Protein backbone atom coordinates (compact mmCIF):
# COMPACT_ATOMS: atom_id res chain seq x y z
CA UNK A 1 0.00 0.00 0.00
CA UNK A 2 0.97 3.61 -0.57
CA UNK A 3 0.05 6.50 1.75
CA UNK A 4 -0.08 9.89 0.04
CA UNK A 5 -0.07 13.40 1.48
CA UNK A 6 -1.38 16.25 -0.67
CA UNK A 7 -4.53 15.06 -2.40
CA UNK A 8 -4.65 17.47 -5.34
CA UNK A 9 -5.23 17.28 -9.06
CA UNK A 10 -1.58 16.80 -9.96
CA UNK A 11 -1.37 13.76 -7.70
CA UNK A 12 -4.49 12.32 -9.32
CA UNK A 13 -3.11 12.90 -12.83
CA UNK A 14 0.41 11.69 -12.04
CA UNK A 15 1.27 9.29 -9.20
CA UNK A 16 -2.27 7.89 -8.87
CA UNK A 17 -2.49 7.53 -12.66
CA UNK A 18 0.87 5.71 -12.87
CA UNK A 19 -0.18 3.38 -10.05
CA UNK A 20 -3.52 2.62 -11.68
CA UNK A 21 -1.91 2.03 -15.09
CA UNK A 22 0.69 -0.32 -13.60
CA UNK A 23 -2.27 -2.38 -12.39
CA UNK A 24 -0.26 -4.71 -10.16
CA UNK A 25 -2.28 -4.68 -6.98
CA UNK A 26 -1.10 -1.52 -5.22
CA UNK A 27 -3.65 0.73 -3.50
CA UNK A 28 -3.35 4.29 -2.24
CA UNK A 29 -4.71 5.87 0.95
CA UNK A 30 -4.62 9.60 0.27
CA UNK A 31 -4.75 12.55 2.67
CA UNK A 32 -5.50 16.16 1.88
CA UNK A 33 -2.88 18.72 2.83
CA UNK A 34 -4.85 20.65 5.42
CA UNK A 35 -8.48 20.47 4.33
CA UNK A 36 -10.93 18.95 6.79
CA UNK A 37 -12.91 17.61 3.81
CA UNK A 38 -11.82 14.45 2.02
CA UNK A 39 -13.04 14.19 -1.60
CA UNK A 40 -14.45 11.02 -3.11
CA UNK A 41 -11.74 8.54 -4.15
CA UNK A 42 -13.30 8.20 -7.61
CA UNK A 43 -12.57 10.87 -10.19
CA UNK A 44 -12.73 11.35 -13.92
CA UNK A 45 -9.40 12.01 -15.64
CA UNK A 46 -9.73 13.97 -18.88
CA UNK A 47 -6.54 13.77 -20.94
CA UNK A 48 -6.92 16.79 -23.19
CA UNK A 49 -5.03 16.75 -26.48
CA UNK A 50 -4.95 19.55 -29.07
CA UNK A 51 -8.08 18.17 -30.75
CA UNK A 52 -9.71 15.43 -28.67
CA UNK A 53 -10.18 14.20 -25.10
CA UNK A 54 -9.48 10.77 -23.67
CA UNK A 55 -11.56 9.99 -20.56
CA UNK A 56 -10.64 7.42 -17.92
CA UNK A 57 -11.45 6.60 -14.29
CA UNK A 58 -8.17 5.68 -12.53
CA UNK A 59 -8.92 3.41 -9.58
CA UNK A 60 -5.73 3.23 -7.52
CA UNK A 61 -7.04 5.47 -4.70
CA UNK A 62 -8.69 3.11 -2.23
CA UNK A 63 -9.59 5.63 0.47
CA UNK A 64 -9.32 9.33 1.22
CA UNK A 65 -8.92 11.17 4.52
CA UNK A 66 -8.84 14.79 5.63
CA UNK A 67 -5.41 16.08 6.53
CA UNK A 68 -6.75 16.81 10.01
CA UNK A 69 -7.28 13.10 10.75
CA UNK A 70 -4.00 12.49 12.58
CA UNK A 71 -5.15 9.14 14.00
CA UNK A 72 -5.78 7.71 10.52
CA UNK A 73 -2.46 9.12 9.28
CA UNK A 74 -0.44 7.50 12.04
CA UNK A 75 -2.34 4.22 11.75
CA UNK A 76 -1.83 3.93 8.00
CA UNK A 77 1.84 4.99 7.93
CA UNK A 78 2.44 2.43 10.69
CA UNK A 79 0.58 -0.33 8.84
CA UNK A 80 2.85 -3.27 7.92
CA UNK A 81 1.28 -3.29 4.44
CA UNK A 82 2.38 0.30 3.78
CA UNK A 83 5.63 0.38 1.81
CA UNK A 84 5.72 3.96 0.46
CA UNK A 85 4.70 7.47 1.47
CA UNK A 86 4.42 9.92 -1.44
CA UNK A 87 4.09 13.70 -1.17
CA UNK A 88 2.76 16.53 -3.33
CA UNK A 89 2.64 19.49 -0.97
CA UNK A 90 4.25 22.36 -3.01
CA UNK A 91 7.77 23.73 -2.64
CA UNK A 92 7.06 26.07 0.27
CA UNK A 93 5.72 23.30 2.53
CA UNK A 94 9.21 21.83 3.03
CA UNK A 95 10.36 25.05 4.68
CA UNK A 96 7.59 24.91 7.30
CA UNK A 97 6.98 22.73 10.31
CA UNK A 98 3.72 21.01 9.45
CA UNK A 99 4.81 18.51 6.80
CA UNK A 100 8.05 17.36 8.52
CA UNK A 101 6.16 17.03 11.82
CA UNK A 102 3.44 14.93 10.19
CA UNK A 103 6.00 12.64 8.63
CA UNK A 104 7.80 12.29 11.95
CA UNK A 105 4.56 11.41 13.75
CA UNK A 106 3.77 8.73 11.19
CA UNK A 107 7.29 7.31 11.30
CA UNK A 108 7.25 7.28 15.10
CA UNK A 109 4.08 5.21 15.00
CA UNK A 110 5.71 2.86 12.49
CA UNK A 111 8.78 2.45 14.68
CA UNK A 112 6.65 1.74 17.75
CA UNK A 113 4.70 -0.90 15.84
CA UNK A 114 7.84 -2.53 14.46
CA UNK A 115 6.60 -2.37 10.89
CA UNK A 116 10.01 -2.14 9.27
CA UNK A 117 11.57 -0.10 6.46
CA UNK A 118 9.66 2.32 4.24
CA UNK A 119 10.37 4.71 1.35
CA UNK A 120 9.37 8.37 1.33
CA UNK A 121 8.94 9.79 -2.16
CA UNK A 122 8.50 13.59 -2.50
CA UNK A 123 7.09 14.68 -5.86
CA UNK A 124 7.49 18.47 -5.77
CA UNK A 125 9.61 20.85 -7.83
CA UNK A 126 12.63 21.01 -5.55
CA UNK A 127 16.15 20.09 -6.63
CA UNK A 128 17.23 17.06 -4.64
CA UNK A 129 13.77 16.77 -3.13
CA UNK A 130 14.62 13.44 -1.50
CA UNK A 131 17.65 14.92 0.27
CA UNK A 132 15.64 18.00 1.28
CA UNK A 133 12.91 15.82 2.76
CA UNK A 134 15.43 13.68 4.60
CA UNK A 135 17.08 16.77 6.08
CA UNK A 136 13.87 18.39 7.36
CA UNK A 137 12.48 15.11 8.71
CA UNK A 138 15.67 14.25 10.61
CA UNK A 139 15.91 17.78 11.98
CA UNK A 140 12.34 17.57 13.25
CA UNK A 141 12.89 14.08 14.71
CA UNK A 142 16.10 15.05 16.52
CA UNK A 143 14.27 17.87 18.29
CA UNK A 144 11.70 15.48 19.73
CA UNK A 145 13.33 12.03 19.96
CA UNK A 146 16.98 11.35 19.04
CA UNK A 147 16.32 7.60 19.12
CA UNK A 148 13.61 8.03 16.48
CA UNK A 149 16.05 10.00 14.32
CA UNK A 150 18.46 7.08 14.50
CA UNK A 151 15.72 4.65 13.51
CA UNK A 152 14.79 6.84 10.54
CA UNK A 153 18.40 6.94 9.35
CA UNK A 154 18.53 3.13 9.40
CA UNK A 155 15.05 2.27 8.11
CA UNK A 156 13.74 5.05 5.87
CA UNK A 157 14.86 5.74 2.32
CA UNK A 158 14.23 9.13 0.75
CA UNK A 159 13.76 8.91 -3.02
CA UNK A 160 14.49 11.91 -5.25
CA UNK A 161 12.17 12.46 -8.18
CA UNK A 162 11.43 14.60 -11.19
CA UNK A 163 7.74 14.81 -12.08
CA UNK A 164 6.10 16.40 -15.09
CA UNK A 165 2.53 16.55 -16.29
CA UNK A 166 0.76 19.87 -16.80
CA UNK A 167 -2.46 19.74 -14.78
CA UNK A 168 -4.31 23.06 -14.59
CA UNK A 169 -6.83 23.83 -11.89
CA UNK A 170 -10.18 22.14 -12.56
CA UNK A 171 -13.36 21.35 -10.69
CA UNK A 172 -13.71 18.02 -8.85
CA UNK A 173 -14.47 15.26 -9.56
CA UNK A 174 -13.09 16.04 -13.05
CA UNK A 175 -9.32 16.36 -13.41
CA UNK A 176 -7.98 17.76 -16.69
CA UNK A 177 -4.42 17.01 -17.77
CA UNK A 178 -2.23 16.87 -20.86
CA UNK A 179 -1.20 13.72 -22.76
CA UNK A 180 2.49 14.14 -21.87
CA UNK A 181 3.75 12.59 -18.63
CA UNK A 182 7.21 11.97 -17.16
CA UNK A 183 8.51 10.54 -13.90
CA UNK A 184 12.19 9.98 -13.11
CA UNK A 185 13.21 8.47 -9.75
CA UNK A 186 16.47 7.87 -7.90
CA UNK A 187 16.62 5.81 -4.71
CA UNK A 188 15.71 2.59 -2.96
CA UNK A 189 12.35 1.06 -2.13
CA UNK A 190 13.17 -1.29 0.76
CA UNK A 191 9.61 -2.62 1.09
CA UNK A 192 8.81 -2.83 -2.63
CA UNK A 193 7.06 -0.61 -5.16
CA UNK A 194 4.56 -0.72 -8.03
CA UNK A 195 5.84 -1.50 -11.51
CA UNK A 196 5.72 2.16 -12.50
CA UNK A 197 8.51 1.52 -14.99
CA UNK A 198 6.14 -0.61 -17.11
CA UNK A 199 4.07 2.51 -17.86
CA UNK A 200 6.88 4.97 -18.53
CA UNK A 201 8.57 5.87 -15.23
CA UNK A 202 12.37 5.76 -15.30
CA UNK A 203 14.67 4.71 -12.46
CA UNK A 204 18.13 6.29 -12.72
CA UNK A 205 21.36 6.55 -10.75
CA UNK A 206 21.36 10.36 -10.84
CA UNK A 207 18.12 12.32 -11.18
CA UNK A 208 19.79 15.75 -10.88
CA UNK A 209 20.26 16.51 -14.61
CA UNK A 210 16.63 15.57 -15.26
CA UNK A 211 15.49 17.77 -12.36
CA UNK A 212 17.51 20.66 -13.73
CA UNK A 213 16.14 20.19 -17.24
CA UNK A 214 12.59 20.38 -15.96
CA UNK A 215 13.14 23.11 -13.35
CA UNK A 216 15.01 25.44 -15.67
CA UNK A 217 13.35 24.84 -19.02
CA UNK A 218 9.75 24.04 -18.08
CA UNK A 219 9.30 25.66 -14.66
CA UNK A 220 11.64 28.57 -15.32
CA UNK A 221 9.99 29.09 -18.70
CA UNK A 222 6.60 29.02 -17.01
CA UNK A 223 7.68 31.72 -14.53
CA UNK A 224 8.95 33.88 -17.38
CA UNK A 225 5.68 33.57 -19.29
CA UNK A 226 3.64 34.17 -16.12
CA UNK A 227 5.31 37.47 -15.26
CA UNK A 228 6.08 38.83 -18.73
CA UNK A 229 2.88 37.53 -20.31
CA UNK A 230 0.44 38.66 -17.65
CA UNK A 231 2.02 42.12 -17.67
CA UNK A 232 1.23 42.20 -21.41
CA UNK A 233 -2.43 41.41 -20.71
CA UNK A 234 -2.24 37.72 -21.58
CA UNK A 235 -4.09 35.08 -19.58
CA UNK A 236 -2.88 31.57 -20.50
CA UNK A 237 0.35 29.78 -21.33
CA UNK A 238 -0.92 29.08 -24.85
CA UNK A 239 -1.46 32.81 -25.45
CA UNK A 240 1.94 33.71 -24.00
CA UNK A 241 3.99 31.18 -25.97
CA UNK A 242 2.44 32.56 -29.19
CA UNK A 243 3.24 36.17 -28.24
CA UNK A 244 6.38 37.38 -30.11
CA UNK A 245 7.83 39.30 -27.14
CA UNK A 246 7.29 36.43 -24.71
CA UNK A 247 8.60 33.89 -27.19
CA UNK A 248 11.78 35.86 -27.88
CA UNK A 249 12.48 36.20 -24.16
CA UNK A 250 11.72 32.50 -23.67
CA UNK A 251 14.21 31.41 -26.33
CA UNK A 252 16.91 33.63 -24.81
CA UNK A 253 16.30 32.09 -21.39
CA UNK A 254 16.26 28.59 -22.81
CA UNK A 255 19.60 29.18 -24.56
CA UNK A 256 21.16 30.17 -21.24
CA UNK A 257 19.65 27.26 -19.33
CA UNK A 258 20.60 24.77 -22.05
CA UNK A 259 24.24 25.87 -21.86
CA UNK A 260 24.27 25.04 -18.14
CA UNK A 261 22.62 21.64 -18.44
CA UNK A 262 24.84 18.51 -18.21
CA UNK A 263 22.80 16.69 -20.85
CA UNK A 264 23.32 15.89 -24.55
CA UNK A 265 22.46 18.84 -26.78
CA UNK A 266 20.07 16.74 -28.84
CA UNK A 267 18.06 15.72 -25.79
CA UNK A 268 17.75 19.34 -24.69
CA UNK A 269 16.78 20.48 -28.19
CA UNK A 270 14.05 17.84 -28.40
CA UNK A 271 12.74 18.74 -24.96
CA UNK A 272 12.48 22.42 -25.94
CA UNK A 273 10.56 21.52 -29.08
CA UNK A 274 8.23 19.28 -27.09
CA UNK A 275 7.57 22.07 -24.58
CA UNK A 276 6.50 24.44 -27.32
CA UNK A 277 4.04 21.89 -28.70
CA UNK A 278 2.69 21.14 -25.24
CA UNK A 279 2.26 24.80 -24.38
CA UNK A 280 0.53 25.61 -27.66
CA UNK A 281 -2.28 23.23 -26.73
CA UNK A 282 -4.93 25.91 -26.19
CA UNK A 283 -7.39 23.29 -24.95
CA UNK A 284 -5.27 23.06 -21.79
CA UNK A 285 -6.24 26.32 -20.12
CA UNK A 286 -3.19 26.81 -17.91
CA UNK A 287 -3.58 30.21 -16.27
CA UNK A 288 -0.57 32.51 -15.92
CA UNK A 289 -1.98 33.75 -12.60
CA UNK A 290 -1.79 30.21 -11.22
CA UNK A 291 1.84 29.86 -12.28
CA UNK A 292 2.73 33.31 -10.88
CA UNK A 293 1.85 32.22 -7.33
CA UNK A 294 4.60 31.84 -4.71
CA UNK A 295 7.37 33.34 -6.81
CA UNK A 296 9.52 33.91 -3.73
CA UNK A 297 9.79 30.12 -3.39
CA UNK A 298 10.10 29.36 -7.09
CA UNK A 299 12.53 31.96 -8.46
CA UNK A 300 15.51 30.85 -6.31
CA UNK A 301 15.39 27.27 -7.64
CA UNK A 302 14.19 27.96 -11.18
CA UNK A 303 16.37 30.92 -12.16
CA UNK A 304 19.27 31.59 -9.78
CA UNK A 305 21.31 28.43 -10.58
CA UNK A 306 21.55 29.43 -14.25
CA UNK A 307 22.28 33.02 -13.30
CA UNK A 308 25.17 31.95 -11.05
CA UNK A 309 26.51 29.50 -13.66
CA UNK A 310 26.60 32.26 -16.28
CA UNK A 311 28.27 34.82 -14.03
CA UNK A 312 30.94 32.30 -13.01
CA UNK A 313 31.81 32.25 -16.73
CA UNK A 314 31.68 36.05 -16.98
CA UNK A 315 28.58 35.98 -19.16
CA UNK A 316 25.57 38.27 -18.66
CA UNK A 317 22.45 36.06 -18.82
CA UNK A 318 19.89 38.51 -20.19
CA UNK A 319 17.12 35.93 -20.14
CA UNK A 320 17.55 35.30 -16.40
CA UNK A 321 17.90 39.02 -15.75
CA UNK A 322 14.66 39.60 -17.64
CA UNK A 323 12.82 37.08 -15.44
CA UNK A 324 14.02 38.80 -12.26
CA UNK A 325 12.96 42.19 -13.59
CA UNK A 326 9.54 40.89 -14.64
CA UNK A 327 9.06 39.26 -11.23
CA UNK A 328 9.92 42.49 -9.39
CA UNK A 329 7.47 44.44 -11.56
CA UNK A 330 4.86 41.78 -10.77
CA UNK A 331 5.49 42.32 -7.06
CA UNK A 332 4.95 46.04 -7.65
CA UNK A 333 1.56 45.45 -9.30
CA UNK A 334 2.17 44.57 -12.95
CA UNK A 335 0.18 41.71 -14.43
CA UNK A 336 -1.23 38.84 -12.38
CA UNK A 337 -2.32 39.52 -8.79
CA UNK A 338 0.34 38.76 -6.20
CA UNK A 339 -0.45 35.55 -4.30
CA UNK A 340 2.67 34.78 -2.30
CA UNK A 341 3.03 34.74 1.48
CA UNK A 342 6.75 35.40 1.13
CA UNK A 343 6.43 38.36 -1.25
CA UNK A 344 6.49 41.31 1.14
CA UNK A 345 10.22 41.56 1.77
CA UNK A 346 11.03 41.22 -1.94
CA UNK A 347 8.35 43.73 -2.90
CA UNK A 348 10.11 46.27 -0.68
CA UNK A 349 13.08 46.24 -3.08
CA UNK A 350 13.21 49.13 -5.55
CA UNK A 351 16.66 48.60 -7.07
CA UNK A 352 18.54 45.68 -8.55
CA UNK A 353 21.04 45.60 -5.69
CA UNK A 354 18.29 45.47 -3.09
CA UNK A 355 16.50 42.61 -4.85
CA UNK A 356 19.69 40.64 -5.44
CA UNK A 357 20.76 41.17 -1.84
CA UNK A 358 17.57 39.51 -0.65
CA UNK A 359 18.06 36.59 -3.03
CA UNK A 360 21.81 36.10 -2.59
CA UNK A 361 24.26 38.67 -1.09
CA UNK A 362 27.02 37.37 -3.38
CA UNK A 363 24.97 38.37 -6.42
CA UNK A 364 24.36 41.83 -4.95
CA UNK A 365 28.15 42.33 -4.85
CA UNK A 366 28.38 41.67 -8.60
CA UNK A 367 28.47 45.20 -10.05
CA UNK A 368 28.12 44.04 -13.64
CA UNK A 369 25.00 42.04 -12.83
CA UNK A 370 23.54 44.88 -10.77
CA UNK A 371 24.05 47.32 -13.64
CA UNK A 372 22.47 44.96 -16.16
CA UNK A 373 19.42 44.34 -13.96
CA UNK A 374 19.02 48.04 -13.22
CA UNK A 375 19.19 48.68 -16.96
CA UNK A 376 16.52 46.06 -17.60
CA UNK A 377 14.27 47.57 -14.97
CA UNK A 378 14.85 51.07 -16.32
CA UNK A 379 14.19 50.15 -19.95
CA UNK A 380 11.09 48.21 -19.00
CA UNK A 381 9.66 50.99 -16.85
CA UNK A 382 9.85 53.76 -19.43
Amino acid sequence: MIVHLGLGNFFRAHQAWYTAEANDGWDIAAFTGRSAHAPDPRYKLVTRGPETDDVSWPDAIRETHPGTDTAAWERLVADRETAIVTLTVTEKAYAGEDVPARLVRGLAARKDRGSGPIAIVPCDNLPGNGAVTRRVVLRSARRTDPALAGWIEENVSFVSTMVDRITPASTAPEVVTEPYHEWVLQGDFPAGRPAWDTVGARFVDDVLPHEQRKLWLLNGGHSLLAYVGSARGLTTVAEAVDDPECRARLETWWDEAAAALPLPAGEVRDYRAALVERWKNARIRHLLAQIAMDGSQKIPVRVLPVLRWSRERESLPHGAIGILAAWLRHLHGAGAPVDDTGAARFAAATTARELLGLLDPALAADDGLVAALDDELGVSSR
Side-chain angles (χ1 to χ4, degrees), residues 230-231 326-338 347:
S230 67
W327 176 49
L328 184 58
R329 290 193 294 271
H330 160 75
L331 295 178
H332 290 169
V338 177

Side-chain angles (χ1 to χ4, degrees), residues 155-240:
N155 292 276
V156 182
S157 72
F158 293 86
V159 178
S160 288
T161 70
M162 186 278 283
V163 297
D164 188 2
R165 195 172 201 185
I166 295 171
T167 307
S170 55
T171 304
E174 180 175 282
V175 177
V176 177
T177 193
E178 65 169 337
Y180 183 94
H181 56 86
E182 188 175 17
W183 198 2
V184 184
L185 304 96
Q186 172 197 337
D188 299 322
F189 291 80
R193 63 166 175 81
W196 291 319
D197 46 322
T198 64
V199 290
R202 287 184 290 163
F203 292 84
V204 300
D205 293 330
D206 184 7
V207 75
L208 180 60
H210 305 278
E211 289 176 345
Q212 292 170 330
R213 168 170 58 81
K214 196 255 181 154
L215 278 169
W216 301 348
L217 298 181
L218 189 153
N219 299 122
H222 263 169
S223 291
L224 183 155
L225 296 179
Y227 301 129
V228 176
S230 67
R232 291 175 60 78
L234 306 174
T235 303
T236 68
V237 170
E239 292 170 355

Side-chain angles (χ1 to χ4, degrees), residues 66-132:
T68 53
D69 191 344
T70 56
W73 169 259
E74 292 174 13
R75 172 176 58 80
L76 285 164
V77 175
D79 194 307
R80 294 179 187 276
E81 297 299 314
T82 298
I84 301 168
V85 173
T86 55
L87 308 168
T88 48
V89 293
T90 78
E91 296 95 319
K92 64 182 178 181
Y94 294 88
E97 293 294 328
D98 180 60
V99 169
R102 272 200 260 186
L103 289 171
V104 167
R105 285 196 299 270
L107 293 172
R110 188 174 184 88
K111 172 181 176 289
D112 291 344
R113 186 167 174 179
S115 295
I118 191 171
I120 294 181
V121 186
C123 299
D124 292 292
N125 290 319
L126 282 174
N129 51 22
V132 170

Side-chain angles (χ1 to χ4, degrees), residues 135-147:
R135 183 171 65 250
V136 298
V137 166
L138 286 173
R139 183 174 62 203
S140 180
R142 288 184 183 117
R143 284 199 296 262
T144 58
D145 183 354

Side-chain angles (χ1 to χ4, degrees), residues 227-228 231-232 245 249 318-319 321-330 332 334 371-382:
Y227 301 129
V228 176
R232 291 175 60 78
E245 173 71 13
R249 287 180 174 271
H318 293 287
I321 291 166
I323 297 174
L324 293 182
W327 176 49
L328 184 58
R329 290 193 294 271
H330 160 75
H332 290 169
L373 181 52
D374 269 333
D375 185 58
E376 175 73 19
L377 289 165
V379 169
S380 301
S381 63
R382 284 202 292 265

Side-chain angles (χ1 to χ4, degrees), residues 278-294:
R278 294 166 66 189
W279 291 354
K280 281 186 173 182
N281 181 359
R283 299 182 72 242
I284 292 286
R285 187 169 171 77
H286 202 180
L287 298 177
L288 299 177
Q290 179 187 359
I291 297 167
M293 294 169 58
D294 297 322

